[in-house]
């Protein structure tokens, strides 16, 4: 698995977060891209910026989606963009 290209901001008890993580896990398994999860409640700045948008997904450090993750859209973003290095 490669370095994390996808970052997902979540919070405990968020049903949309669970759904988003399932999509991210599936798509990243297909593409071979790494991904990480971060809890917004553990970081005051993330909480301030993204509290009303979780789950929030980033691809290559750029905000990609919030609330829901569309598998096809995520797959296209991962296959269309070369990883930054």
């Amino acid at each position: 698995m490669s370095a994390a290209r996808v970052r997902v901001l979540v919070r405990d008890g968020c049903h949309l977060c669970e759904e988003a993580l399932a999509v991210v896990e599936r798509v990243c398994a297909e593409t071979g891209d790494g991904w990480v999860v971060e809890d917004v409640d553990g970081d005051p700045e993330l909480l301030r910026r993204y509290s009303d948008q979780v789950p929030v997904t980033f691809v290559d450090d750029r905000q990609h989606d919030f609330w829901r993750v569309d598998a096809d859209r995520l797959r296209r973003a991962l296959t269309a963009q070369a990883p930054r290095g």
Side-chain angles (χ1 to χ4, degrees), residues 16 34 72:
L16 290 178
D72 292 332

Side-chain angles (χ1 to χ4, degrees), residues 36-66:
V36 296
V37 178
E38 192 168 350
D39 188 332
V40 297
D41 293 323
D43 182 315
E45 180 60 18
L46 291 178
L47 182 61
R48 182 188 69 76
R49 291 182 68 192
Y50 299 108
S51 179
D52 294 336
Q53 296 180 1
V54 292
V56 183
T57 56
F58 295 81
V59 174
D60 296 328
D61 297 323
R62 299 170 109 170
Q63 188 170 341
H64 176 74
D65 259 327
F66 63 96

